[in-house]
Amino acid sequence: MIYDKFNLEKKVAIVTGASSGIGKSVALTLVEAKANVTLVDIRIDVLNQLANQITKKGQKALAIKSDISKKDEVVRMVQETLKEFTKIDILVNCAGINRRAPAEILSEKDWDDLINTNLKGVFLCSQAVGKVMIKQRKGKIINISSINSVIVGENLSGYDASKGGVKQLTKSLALSWAKYNINVNAIGPGNFKTEMTKSQYENEDKSKEVISRIPLKRWGEPQKDLSGSIILLASEASDYITGQTIYVDGGCLLQ
């Protein structure tokens, strides 16, 4: 049956940035598909609440506080996951931040924070989990990129650069690890309702301006609009897809 290819039962997934926004939505989507999850973020109190919510549904969830920009913390995160679940089938790199400022005044700290979280963190997590998947000779890595990997926004030079880097890193890792049967792909969301975009979608004028650029004429909703692409790329249904970025943007890149 074709639906069997989308089955994630007993799979083990790590989701970074799982305390809110797209990361939380991804974690809940994987749980709904019967996967067990490791929830990773720096906000451990929020993660523990989410883990309790998941275990009540009958799935296993492990909450780990980790700064993904620091290699030792990423290595510990992988070790703790293996201790709990013995394997890692799926990694979803969702953790991300934004800093908006004109390029001429963007601080060095803001630049470093953007690159360290949005790009270096994706590399460190992929590297650490990739070593496990190479031994397993199988795995799925999904990076959350952005439409800003191909277009740019005003006062978003650091964010644009970091997301462009994720797109290229996805392709590079896909080529390097294809021989190990590891699929590395990305999802590029457009304008989604998350904590990061709250100031925009709750402002009527700003929201109208954003919607005017979206052919489907609405904001994306993480749980509703990203679940299909997540399940596809996490499952056997995507075994012949690698190095690709799927843009989930309501048609934004068509214009």
Side-chain angles (χ1 to χ4, degrees):
M1 292 288 291
I2 184 62
Y3 295 112
D4 293 339
K5 291 184 176 292
F6 294 91
N7 185 10
L8 298 182
E9 190 169 3
K10 297 183 180 179
K11 298 290 186 181
V12 175
I14 294 177
V15 181
T16 70
S19 69
S20 64
I22 288 175
K24 180 179 179 180
S25 173
V26 166
L28 292 174
T29 292
L30 294 171
V31 167
E32 189 176 344
K34 304 302 182 183
N36 297 315
V37 294
T38 292
L39 309 169
V40 180
D41 209 297
I42 57 174
R43 299 191 292 179
I44 189 63
D45 54 334
V46 180
L47 288 186
N48 284 331
Q49 293 174 13
L50 182 58
N52 289 334
Q53 178 183 341
I54 290 170
T55 54
K56 288 179 180 178
K57 295 181 178 181
Q59 299 301 116
K60 295 180 180 179
L62 175 66
I64 298 177
K65 181 179 180 180
S66 177
D67 181 344
I68 61 163
S69 70
K70 297 178 180 178
K71 185 171 183 176
D72 59 338
E73 294 195 25
V74 170
V75 170
R76 176 180 56 81
M77 173 265 290
V78 170
Q79 291 173 342
E80 290 185 19
T81 299
L82 290 174
K83 183 178 179 181
E84 178 71 19
F85 296 116
T86 73
K87 64 172 184 172
I88 303 170
D89 301 296
I90 303 157
L91 167 66
V92 189
N93 286 305
C94 293
I97 62 170
N98 196 3
R99 300 283 188 273
R100 186 182 291 269
E104 65 269 21
I105 64 171
L106 181 70
S107 70
E108 183 179 4
K109 182 183 185 305
D110 281 345
W111 173 270
D112 288 344
D113 287 346
L114 283 161
I115 298 301
N116 286 340
T117 300
N118 295 359
L119 183 55
K120 180 184 176 183
V122 171
F123 173 74
L124 290 178
C125 291
S126 298
Q127 181 186 57
V129 174
K131 291 177 181 179
V132 176
M133 291 179 172
I134 286 171
K135 291 180 180 179
Q136 296 174 167
R137 288 297 192 270
K138 191 171 187 179
K140 303 281 187 174
I141 297 176
I142 306 169
N143 300 322
I144 300 300
S145 182
S146 169
I147 56 173
N148 288 69
S149 66
V150 291
I151 62 174
V152 295
E154 188 174 3
N155 299 329
L156 290 173
S157 56
Y159 184 80
D160 292 338
S162 69
K163 292 303 184 178
V166 170
K167 180 181 176 68
Q168 288 297 92
L169 178 61
T170 298
K171 293 165 68 176
S172 182
L173 295 180
L175 180 61
S176 296
W177 294 343
K179 59 190 173 186
Y180 303 115
N181 202 30
I182 299 170
N183 302 79
V184 187
N185 292 290
I187 294 173
N191 298 280
F192 273 74
K193 290 184 176 181
T194 66
E195 288 184 9
M196 193 182 294
T197 60
K198 193 172 183 179
S199 63
Q200 289 182 296
Y201 70 78
E202 287 191 346
N203 182 300
E204 185 176 354
D205 291 335
K206 288 182 179 179
S207 184
K208 285 181 179 179
E209 195 275 327
V210 169
I211 290 173
S212 72
R213 303 194 304 267
I214 305 172
L216 290 183
K217 299 303 177 187
R218 65 176 178 85
W219 285 81
E221 299 176 28
Q223 196 71 33
K224 174 183 177 181
D225 297 311
L226 286 175
S227 57
S229 53
I230 287 293
I231 297 300
L232 169 65
L233 294 180
S235 70
E236 292 181 4
S238 62
D239 279 355
Y240 204 56
I241 301 172
T242 199
Q244 304 303 309
T245 299
I246 298 176
Y247 292 100
V248 185
D249 65 352
C252 200
L253 293 180
L254 296 174
Q255 302 186 101

